[in-house]
Amino acid sequence: MKKTEIINTLKEMPDEFSADELIERILLLQKIDAGLNQVKEGKVYPEEEAAQKLDRWLR
């Protein structure tokens, strides 16, 4: 995560917000960043394989 992402998030927030709201947004950014890194590293499942895994989990 980069400092600029946090700064941009702060700029997008309303003038008043709770610490919990800010933490939630930062955690969301972190999860998105982690997911994008996984894609770059090829740590993804093809759609068909992902559907099969979900089907097994949801039974």
Side-chain angles (χ1 to χ4, degrees):
M1 181 178 299
K2 296 181 180 178
K3 187 183 342 181
T4 56
E5 292 172 331
I6 303 297
I7 292 169
N8 288 337
T9 297
L10 280 171
K11 288 179 182 177
E12 293 172 2
M13 303 272 302
D15 288 339
E16 292 187 26
F17 54 88
S18 70
D20 288 338
E21 290 173 315
L22 178 59
I23 290 168
E24 285 178 18
R25 287 201 187 193
I26 291 171
L27 289 173
L28 177 62
L29 287 175
Q30 184 180 24
K31 289 177 183 183
I32 291 170
D33 196 41
L36 292 173
N37 285 332
Q38 287 176 335
V39 169
K40 286 179 187 176
E41 295 170 3
K43 296 180 180 177
V44 295
Y45 294 107
E47 184 177 346
E48 191 173 303
E49 187 178 344
Q52 290 172 354
K53 286 183 178 286
L54 279 174
D55 186 46
R56 280 185 263 149
W57 291 341
L58 297 175
R59 286 187 197 173

